[in-house]
Amino acid sequence: MKRILTISLILLITGCTVVRIDTTSIDTIVNVVLSKDNTLYNRVGKGYKYYVPRGVTYLDTDDLNDKLYSKGNYYYLYVDAIGYYNDTEQQYQEDSSLYYSKKISKEDGFEWSGYLEIELKDDLYYIEFVYNHAKIETVVSKDDINDAVLNAAYILSTIQFNSDVINLMLDEEYFTNREEKYDVFAKNENSENSFDLQVTDED
């Protein structure tokens, strides 16, 4: 009884809804997390906000790009404010030659279109996860794939845009000459060169 009360108190304090997820399956992680209606947030940027999961640390922001860190792995979050403003749809063709390739579409019941792609490169796994007008990229070891997908799914599913701020930014020509820079959501055949991915080893 004491244990149940303690757990209930923790849930009340944190305000979180616990969902048990079979983290051995990438498909299950994606389907469960992206289907949740989650409005939690603890990180606010210019025109957007989102939830940084426990165990993930926010490090820095460069314009609309955030850098995060968890268990030796760096995550790079790109927020597509122009895509949100124009309500663009993501087009993606699944690729069976990759370690993992999944199209995320509204037709399958998701709120937004996108994709999750995992590619083996030099004994590490390059993850590119696009959803909700944002993208997360990271490079991890095989053992860290599911954790990385789980973290990315939580972050992407909780992104909320502030339309008033984004409209103001556009009115002030904030994005003048920046469309090419923010076209990171188009499929890039040389994605490994899009930024300097960092991988560290922890003892």
Side-chain angles (χ1 to χ4, degrees):
M1 182 66 179
K2 189 173 182 180
R3 184 178 178 185
I4 294 175
L5 288 174
T6 301
I7 294 173
S8 299
L9 182 61
I10 291 172
L11 292 177
L12 183 64
I13 293 172
T14 60
C16 299
T17 301
V18 174
V19 176
R20 297 189 182 278
I21 300 174
D22 174 15
T23 55
T24 62
S25 167
I26 296 175
D27 283 337
T28 302
I29 293 171
V30 172
N31 292 335
V32 172
V33 176
L34 297 190
S35 67
K36 275 180 55 89
D37 183 16
N38 197 337
T39 58
L40 289 175
Y41 69 91
N42 54 16
R43 165 74 195 144
V44 179
K46 184 177 287 187
Y48 64 96
K49 59 187 178 182
Y50 62 92
Y51 179 71
V52 180
R54 182 175 298 177
V56 178
T57 302
Y58 164 79
L59 296 179
D60 192 20
T61 295
D62 178 12
D63 215 349
L64 295 179
N65 305 329
D66 287 5
K67 183 178 180 179
L68 304 107
Y69 175 86
S70 177
K71 299 179 180 178
N73 301 311
Y74 290 91
Y75 297 75
Y76 296 85
L77 169 66
Y78 302 96
V79 177
D80 184 15
I82 291 177
Y84 167 78
Y85 180 81
N86 294 320
D87 194 24
T88 57
E89 288 286 330
Q90 283 300 316
Q91 304 299 321
Y92 180 72
Q93 185 68 41
E94 293 183 355
D95 185 349
S96 60
S97 70
L98 299 178
Y99 178 82
Y100 185 91
S101 176
K102 179 182 179 67
K103 178 181 179 181
I104 298 169
S105 66
K106 292 182 179 180
E107 288 75 14
D108 294 326
F110 295 101
E111 187 173 357
W112 308 100
S113 60
Y115 62 87
L116 171 58
E117 185 173 282
I118 305 175
E119 184 176 358
L120 176 61
K121 295 184 178 181
D122 300 325
D123 297 324
L124 292 173
Y125 292 81
Y126 170 75
I127 298 176
E128 183 173 290
F129 199 158
V130 173
Y131 186 72
N132 192 9
H133 302 295
K135 174 168 77 169
I136 287 181
E137 294 181 342
T138 185
V139 173
V140 300
S141 67
K142 188 172 184 178
D143 290 342
D144 289 339
I145 289 175
N146 287 4
D147 279 346
V149 170
L150 182 62
N151 289 332
Y154 270 120
I155 292 168
L156 294 173
S157 67
T158 58
I159 290 178
Q160 302 171 59
F161 290 91
N162 185 322
S163 298
D164 292 336
V165 172
I166 291 173
N167 290 340
L168 181 62
M169 291 161 67
L170 289 169
D171 289 343
E172 293 178 348
E173 297 184 354
Y174 182 86
F175 293 112
T176 299
N177 300 322
R178 297 189 182 196
E179 270 77 356
E180 183 176 352
K181 178 178 180 180
Y182 283 98
D183 192 22
V184 295
F185 303 93
K187 190 61 191 145
N188 182 359
E189 297 301 326
N190 298 311
S191 55
E192 68 271 21
N193 297 321
S194 60
F195 56 85
D196 181 22
L197 286 171
Q198 294 175 293
V199 180
T200 61
D201 294 322
E202 288 191 334
D203 293 335

